[in-house]
Amino acid sequence: LYYIVTEYYEGINLSNLIVGNYIHLEAMVNMSTQIVKGLEALHNNHSYHGDLTPNNIIVDENYNIKIFGCGVTKANKGVNIRVCGEIKYLCPHQLCVNYTDKESDYFSLGLVLFESIFKRLPFGESEKEEEMLKFIDKGIDFNKLKAINGNYKLINIIKKLLSRIDKYENAQEIILELSDVMYDK
């Protein structure tokens, strides 16, 4: 029997915050920066989350976050356990070859941010890995989407997080671009 023991943290998971709520730009950038710094700490310790979803991010009343579920993928030798067939937050190489790395965490972050802004997932949902890969390969038509806050710099960060070609090399690149979003405001 395996179990995880964590500290108690007062707040709600991000998936509950996303539903039906507008999250203002400052809060989005603040939470995103904290998530990136949390992922950076994991990566600096040669570990990866591998299962970043809005359900694994707890937000308090001041938009401070805690990331939960760290280490589950590592404990499973780098293989995402796909709880209840949940594959909608996995990156292409997790779906194809079950390989988890820094890139997979950034891709999942892009999915979480996309859902936070547009209130839906960019590629839809499927229970079959092959079908999910086809949805990802099809891509996203950003011209058909309208962001509530209209901040296109944040949307460009999401595009790069979800890109299969133009990718972030490290957390500092993401944090710099997030700080640029707030600087323009």
Side-chain angles (χ1 to χ4, degrees), residues 6-174:
T6 63
E7 69 178 299
Y8 175 76
Y9 190 72
E10 189 73 38
I12 63 171
N13 63 25
L14 183 58
S15 61
N16 289 338
L17 183 63
I18 290 172
V19 176
N21 290 310
Y22 167 76
I23 303 172
H24 57 88
L25 183 61
E26 293 86 1
M28 285 289 299
V29 171
N30 178 33
M31 290 187 301
S32 301
T33 302
Q34 290 179 66
I35 294 167
V36 172
K37 287 180 179 180
L39 292 175
E40 180 181 35
L42 274 171
H43 300 162
N44 287 341
N45 287 297
H46 309 290
S47 190
Y48 310 104
H49 194 286
D51 189 31
L52 187 68
T53 71
N55 288 324
N56 289 333
I57 301 168
I58 307 296
V59 183
D60 74 9
E61 61 192 22
N62 297 316
Y63 295 102
N64 296 311
I65 63 105
K66 288 280 186 177
I67 302 173
F68 288 89
C70 301
V72 174
T73 300
K74 185 173 184 173
N76 200 35
K77 297 179 175 60
V79 176
N80 180 283
I81 58 174
R82 290 163 169 74
V83 177
C84 304
E86 188 70 54
I87 61 171
K88 60 188 174 184
Y89 292 99
L90 297 182
C91 76
H93 58 263
Q94 283 178 302
L95 291 166
C96 289
V97 291
N98 254 334
Y99 178 71
T100 299
D101 60 358
K102 168 176 62 173
E103 200 176 291
S104 58
D105 285 345
Y106 292 161
F107 189 87
S108 296
L109 173 61
L111 294 170
V112 168
L113 294 177
F114 186 99
E115 186 176 12
S116 297
I117 292 174
F118 297 108
K119 309 301 181 204
R120 66 180 185 83
L121 287 164
F123 305 113
E125 296 183 41
S126 176
E127 292 181 18
K128 297 179 181 175
E129 295 175 11
E130 298 82 19
E131 189 173 37
M132 199 70 225
L133 279 168
K134 287 180 185 176
F135 292 158
I136 293 171
D137 286 341
K138 188 176 174 185
I140 307 164
D141 186 358
F142 279 95
N143 294 324
K144 292 183 179 180
L145 300 170
K146 293 200 182 210
I148 296 170
N149 63 17
N151 190 298
Y152 296 101
K153 282 193 171 187
L154 184 57
I155 293 170
N156 286 334
I157 293 170
I158 294 168
K159 285 179 184 178
K160 191 167 181 177
L161 287 166
L162 296 175
S163 175
R164 294 175 90 174
I165 300 165
D166 183 27
K167 302 175 185 187
Y168 288 105
E169 294 296 318
N170 57 53
Q172 291 307 309
E173 287 181 19
I174 303 169

